[in-house]
Amino acid sequence: MNAQRKSLLTLAVVLIAIGAGFWLWNARTAPAPDAQTESRQDEADGAASYLSELPRVPVTDDGNATAEATTQPQPAAPAQETNASQVRGNATPSEQRTDAVVTPDFVRDLARLCATNYHPPRTRHNPSGGGITTLTFKKLNMHYGIELTGLRTGSRDVLEGRTAVLRHLMSPIVLRTVYALFGDAFVAALAEEGIHQTREFKAPEGGYAFRALTAKEAENMLDVYAAMVREVGSTFRAFAKRRDLVDVMERYSRAARRVTDAYGAYADLEAQDAPAKQLDRISAEIKKALVERDSMRATILSMASPKKTRKLLSEGDVMDIATWISRRLTTDKEYINAIGAIASLSEELAMDLKGFDTTALAANAASSPAPDGASATAQ
């Protein structure tokens, strides 16, 4: 499996890990039994060490997540990043031919999701001069929120299944194993799905006309995902090095709760026809809480990579990543291993995506049918 063809699966791994985390945002969860995962001690012995003494404290993001139980924050040490080659060297034994959770059906489904969310330039839904993707963390959550397509969870309970998937994947060894097992299949699926996508392109004579993507347009799709993964990796790396991230996120969540509580108090008093003086007092509390919350939000954003380096990730995306990382570390501080691996592998993936050539695939696509279930409808 060459580096270019392997590299695309890292996108799957990044999206799986992130998407699985966001599945857990809408409810409080308890650790589910995870028969598929080896002991954490074995993983720590075999994987590159990103361990740090991070606190177990919940975080929230208004508009992004709901509150979880509160625990007391403790001092945290920053993650120590190891390069991708060190992670690569810790793959599981060669006799392993399958993964306990991830299946080929998931690989195909994820490839289709990436391709259908790409919009080439000068199309009906993207009149600009550059390609864009509408795939977001929240869109992943919605897509896999009910059926967990192609993932063996070992449970009929959706919530337990989501927890099991996340726990299985939050290990550098497992991430590399999935990469090795499904690299060829994922790159073929993503490229094939991209080549068979059709969009409404602006016609020279005016209006729009449907046609399939060209080889160059499919390569541009890979370039867009390369840029997105590079920004995600840079953000992961920046947050993983901040020993105060969890504490700051906890303070942000408290400020956000104060805003919510103040608005609720105002609504109750208003419904009771309370005197104007009482309403004015609560209004002042709302303004104070908003200033504090926005100040903490600005602090968190300043921890990430500089805004000028982000073209695809919005501030909301950055807050989502910060919240996701903090919640994972609340669950298990050893998850910093996987967070560091994601940061390192993201840069590797971004470089390899830039060099992938879809010309041969485009030629084959002209004489072959679209993959089963392929959708020509953009999302």
Side-chain angles (χ1 to χ4, degrees):
M1 185 187 303
N2 61 50
Q4 286 181 333
R5 293 180 62 80
K6 281 185 179 180
S7 66
L8 281 172
L9 185 76
T10 311
L11 173 61
V13 169
V14 172
L15 294 176
I16 294 168
I18 293 174
F22 274 76
W23 295 334
L24 304 178
W25 279 9
N26 295 323
R28 299 181 182 182
T29 63
D34 187 11
Q36 297 90 2
T37 307
E38 297 178 358
S39 72
R40 290 299 176 190
Q41 183 61 47
D42 289 341
E43 293 175 1
D45 291 340
S49 177
Y50 296 90
L51 292 178
S52 60
E53 293 300 320
L54 294 177
R56 297 174 177 272
V57 56
V59 297
T60 61
D61 183 12
D62 61 308
N64 294 325
T66 55
E68 295 180 2
T70 301
T71 56
Q72 187 65 33
Q74 301 174 14
Q80 296 182 352
E81 187 175 344
T82 303
N83 63 40
S85 63
Q86 290 175 289
V87 179
R88 183 183 296 110
N90 291 299
T92 52
S94 58
E95 61 267 19
Q96 183 167 346
R97 293 291 182 268
T98 62
D99 182 70
V101 172
V102 182
T103 72
D105 287 342
F106 176 83
V107 173
R108 170 63 71 177
D109 187 72
L110 183 60
R112 183 169 300 142
L113 182 63
C114 293
T116 56
N117 277 277
Y118 175 70
H119 298 270
R122 293 174 291 279
T123 53
R124 183 178 292 277
H125 298 292
N126 177 27
S128 73
I132 63 172
T133 177
T134 55
L135 186 62
T136 64
F137 305 137
K138 291 182 181 179
K139 202 163 190 174
L140 279 169
N141 181 37
M142 293 175 63
H143 183 78
Y144 294 109
I146 298 177
E147 296 188 359
L148 304 180
T149 306
L151 297 171
R152 300 189 189 99
T153 67
S155 174
R156 293 181 179 274
D157 184 271
V158 174
L159 186 59
E160 288 184 359
R162 294 170 182 169
T163 305
V165 169
L166 181 63
R167 293 183 61 199
H168 176 71
L169 290 168
M170 288 299 291
S171 158
I173 291 178
V174 173
L175 294 179
R176 180 57 62 183
T177 298
V178 172
Y179 183 100
L181 288 172
F182 296 108
D184 283 340
F186 183 79
V187 66
L190 180 57
E192 187 177 13
E193 292 286 347
I195 291 296
H196 282 93
Q197 291 293 307
T198 61
R199 297 289 186 271
E200 289 183 274
F201 286 85
K202 191 172 183 179
E205 63 276 11
Y208 294 88
F210 275 105
R211 68 167 174 81
L213 272 65
T214 64
K216 182 61 176 177
E217 288 161 349
E219 287 185 7
N220 287 341
M221 177 187 72
L222 301 185
D223 290 345
V224 168
Y225 280 113
M228 181 187 74
V229 171
R230 178 176 285 112
E231 291 181 15
V232 169
S234 176
T235 304
F236 265 72
R237 180 176 295 107
F239 283 138
K241 292 180 177 180
R242 291 301 300 248
R243 63 179 298 150
D244 56 341
L245 172 65
V246 178
D247 175 67
V248 172
M249 289 300 298
E250 167 60 15
R251 285 188 284 152
Y252 172 77
S253 69
R254 289 198 299 264
R257 285 193 294 269
R258 280 194 289 272
V259 171
T260 301
D261 292 344
Y263 271 118
Y266 187 94
D268 290 342
L269 289 174
E270 193 174 38
Q272 299 168 11
D273 293 327
K277 181 178 291 188
Q278 284 185 275
L279 293 175
D280 290 343
R281 179 177 58 80
I282 298 298
S283 179
E285 291 180 10
I286 291 175
K287 292 178 181 178
K288 182 179 178 181
L290 285 170
V291 169
E292 183 180 1
R293 186 199 64 184
D294 292 346
S295 175
M296 294 306 305
R297 188 175 190 271
T299 297
I300 295 165
L301 291 173
S302 71
M303 293 178 176
S305 52
K307 184 176 181 180
K308 63 182 180 181
T309 67
R310 300 193 308 267
K311 296 182 179 179
L312 296 177
L313 295 183
S314 67
E315 290 186 350
D317 293 327
V318 174
M319 292 298 296
D320 286 344
I321 292 174
T323 303
W324 186 85
I325 292 174
S326 297
R327 289 192 168 183
R328 304 291 69 75
L329 297 176
T330 300
T331 301
D332 188 339
K333 67 181 180 180
E334 293 187 13
Y335 284 170
I336 194 65
N337 289 311
I339 291 168
I342 290 171
S344 180
L345 292 172
S346 293
E347 183 60 32
E348 176 190 332
L349 167 63
M351 291 187 294
D352 290 340
L353 281 172
K354 293 289 291 185
F356 189 81
D357 187 356
T358 61
T359 304
L361 289 170
N364 293 335
S367 58
S368 63
D372 292 341
S375 171
T377 303
Q379 296 185 13

